[in-house]
Amino acid sequence: MPFVNIKVTQGGVTADQKQELIKGVTQLLVDVLGKDPRTTFVVIDEVDTDNWGIGGQSVTELRKQGT
Amino acid sequence: MPFVNIKVTQGGVTADQKQELIKGVTQLLVDVLGKDPRTTFVVIDEVDTDNWGIGGQSVTELRKQGT
Amino acid sequence: MPFVNIKVTQGGVTADQKQELIKGVTQLLVDVLGKDPRTTFVVIDEVDTDNWGIGGQSVTELRKQGT
Amino acid sequence: MPFVNIKVTQGGVTADQKQELIKGVTQLLVDVLGKDPRTTFVVIDEVDTDNWGIGGQSVTELRKQGT
Amino acid sequence: MPFVNIKVTQGGVTADQKQELIKGVTQLLVDVLGKDPRTTFVVIDEVDTDNWGIGGQSVTELRKQGT
Amino acid sequence: MPFVNIKVTQGGVTADQKQELIKGVTQLLVDVLGKDPRTTFVVIDEVDTDNWGIGGQSVTELRKQGT
């Protein structure tokens, strides 16, 4: 009965890519820990680049600076 | 001082239902653990059905298949 | 398919009380939103009082001061 | 490699204020624990006032009542 | 810069299995979204079976009943 | 009514340092957003280095390799 939360920055993640993430991480938990996929939940959060910081700066700022 | 996070799929949850969830879970913590409701926080996250997976498939896909 | 995370301070929460929290919050989601209990997850986190802060002070400190 | 999640109610938080929160909390982790800012992540969640409860009521309701 | 949190029930997860989960989910984010592995974080939480509920019962209880 | 969760790797974080983190982040939310400290919660999670991954490797492994 695992629960997986994946946080990524918002922008251009397609429904197909989300489906691939859900399928891939569920299979990983089957392969590594023998978990039952029927009770494996995955929740994807897409976070605005203004709201995600690394190294003390927002991703919006970092992208403007080309880093 | 409990903190409760409730994640549900998005779609049609009304402000009244949210109010009922907040009231109900706060009262539960009073009844079971004797917690002070004034310092009990509840945060509800509504998640797009594309972003929630069970059994390796998104809820969007599962609903299309009628399961 | 709701997911609920309950965070409380550590100390004296019995297995029976945890069972009551799990049962109560699951029933609340059935009653208010008509959710299927079989795919309702509840995870309880017990947090050391040194690691929980309110008003800028740890709960350990607040309890020493009798507040 | 700290990870910090800040949840606040939605409404009027500017990109500059978010930048100040990201910078401030990253610096705090440098100052207190000597953490490397390059691997310090901050994610800010803005929560609808209908979806945040205190004392058994939503913040939307509390603000209507002027409390 | 993804952040992934994996919650599983406690009991017998080895350091090697944790390493496989970390490696596998990081690679998945590279493959599906082209994310930089150097800024991909994975945090695994192991949850006591008393503290995890499904269908209104703790996993401890469910295992006693052989379900 | 902000809620802040700080995740750091386990090991040697003292009660005084936790108190400084709680005080500092609460003050930051007062200074930047004018939040009421009495309803500002901070929860610190200390994560085993086996359970935290960066770049596809656990922090335990990374430290062995001197990186």
Side-chain angles (χ1 to χ4, degrees):
Chain A
M1 52 240 110
F3 178 82
V4 181
N5 178 231
I6 299 175
K7 291 184 196 298
V8 293
T9 46
Q10 209 159 44
V13 184
T14 66
D16 279 357
Q17 287 171 323
K18 291 173 189 177
Q19 177 58 47
E20 277 183 76
L21 290 175
I22 289 166
K23 193 176 165 187
V25 79
T26 304
Q27 191 57 46
L28 184 69
L29 284 154
V30 173
D31 293 346
V32 177
L33 297 180
K35 293 294 179 184
D36 184 343
R38 289 171 303 171
T39 50
T40 298
F41 285 9
V42 183
V43 169
I44 301 167
D45 293 330
E46 296 170 279
V47 178
D48 193 293
T49 56
D50 279 358
N51 291 21
W52 195 305
I54 304 181
Q57 287 197 283
S58 73
V59 173
T60 305
E61 280 305 308
L62 290 168
R63 289 192 180 162
K64 272 189 202 159
Q65 299 163 20
T67 47
Chain B
M1 51 240 111
F3 177 82
V4 181
N5 178 230
I6 299 174
K7 290 183 197 298
V8 293
T9 45
Q10 209 159 45
V13 184
T14 66
D16 279 356
Q17 286 172 323
K18 291 173 189 176
Q19 178 57 47
E20 278 183 77
L21 290 175
I22 289 166
K23 194 176 164 186
V25 80
T26 303
Q27 190 59 44
L28 184 69
L29 285 153
V30 173
D31 292 346
V32 178
L33 297 179
K35 293 292 180 185
D36 184 344
R38 289 171 303 171
T39 51
T40 297
F41 285 9
V42 182
V43 169
I44 300 167
D45 292 331
E46 295 169 279
V47 178
D48 192 294
T49 55
D50 278 358
N51 291 22
W52 195 304
I54 304 181
Q57 288 197 284
S58 72
V59 173
T60 306
E61 279 306 309
L62 289 169
R63 288 191 179 162
K64 272 189 201 158
Q65 299 162 20
T67 48
Chain C
M1 51 241 110
F3 177 81
V4 181
N5 179 229
I6 300 174
K7 290 184 197 297
V8 293
T9 46
Q10 209 159 44
V13 184
T14 66
D16 279 356
Q17 287 171 324
K18 291 174 189 176
Q19 179 56 47
E20 278 183 78
L21 290 175
I22 288 168
K23 193 176 165 187
V25 79
T26 303
Q27 191 57 44
L28 184 70
L29 284 153
V30 173
D31 293 345
V32 177
L33 298 179
K35 294 292 180 185
D36 184 343
R38 289 170 305 172
T39 51
T40 297
F41 285 8
V42 182
V43 169
I44 301 166
D45 292 331
E46 296 169 279
V47 178
D48 192 294
T49 55
D50 278 358
N51 291 22
W52 195 305
I54 304 181
Q57 288 197 282
S58 73
V59 173
T60 306
E61 279 306 308
L62 290 169
R63 289 192 180 162
K64 272 188 203 159
Q65 297 162 21
T67 47
Chain D
M1 52 238 111
F3 177 82
V4 181
N5 178 230
I6 299 174
K7 291 184 197 297
V8 292
T9 46
Q10 209 160 43
V13 184
T14 67
D16 279 357
Q17 287 172 323
K18 290 173 189 176
Q19 179 56 48
E20 278 183 77
L21 290 175
I22 289 167
K23 194 177 164 186
V25 79
T26 304
Q27 192 57 46
L28 184 70
L29 284 153
V30 172
D31 293 346
V32 177
L33 297 179
K35 294 292 180 185
D36 184 345
R38 289 171 304 173
T39 50
T40 298
F41 285 8
V42 183
V43 169
I44 301 166
D45 293 331
E46 296 169 278
V47 178
D48 193 294
T49 55
D50 279 359
N51 291 20
W52 195 305
I54 304 181
Q57 287 197 283
S58 73
V59 173
T60 306
E61 280 306 307
L62 290 168
R63 289 193 180 161
K64 271 188 204 160
Q65 299 162 19
T67 48
Chain E
M1 50 241 109
F3 177 82
V4 181
N5 178 229
I6 299 175
K7 290 184 196 298
V8 293
T9 46
Q10 209 159 43
V13 184
T14 66
D16 279 357
Q17 287 171 323
K18 291 173 189 177
Q19 178 57 48
E20 278 183 76
L21 290 175
I22 288 167
K23 194 177 166 186
V25 80
T26 304
Q27 192 57 46
L28 184 70
L29 284 153
V30 172
D31 293 346
V32 177
L33 298 179
K35 294 292 180 186
D36 184 343
R38 289 171 304 172
T39 50
T40 298
F41 285 9
V42 182
V43 168
I44 301 166
D45 292 331
E46 297 169 278
V47 178
D48 193 295
T49 56
D50 279 358
N51 291 20
W52 194 306
I54 304 180
Q57 288 197 284
S58 73
V59 173
T60 306
E61 279 305 307
L62 290 168
R63 289 192 180 160
K64 272 189 204 160
Q65 299 162 19
T67 48
Chain F
M1 51 242 107
F3 177 82
V4 181
N5 178 231
I6 300 174
K7 290 183 196 298
V8 294
T9 46
Q10 208 160 46
V13 185
T14 66
D16 278 357
Q17 287 172 322
K18 291 174 189 175
Q19 178 57 47
E20 277 183 76
L21 290 174
I22 289 167
K23 194 178 163 184
V25 79
T26 304
Q27 190 58 46
L28 185 69
L29 284 153
V30 172
D31 293 345
V32 177
L33 297 180
K35 293 293 180 185
D36 184 344
R38 289 170 304 172
T39 50
T40 297
F41 285 9
V42 182
V43 169
I44 300 167
D45 292 331
E46 296 170 279
V47 178
D48 192 294
T49 56
D50 279 358
N51 291 21
W52 195 304
I54 304 180
Q57 288 196 284
S58 73
V59 173
T60 306
E61 279 306 308
L62 290 168
R63 289 192 179 162
K64 272 188 200 159
Q65 298 162 22
T67 48

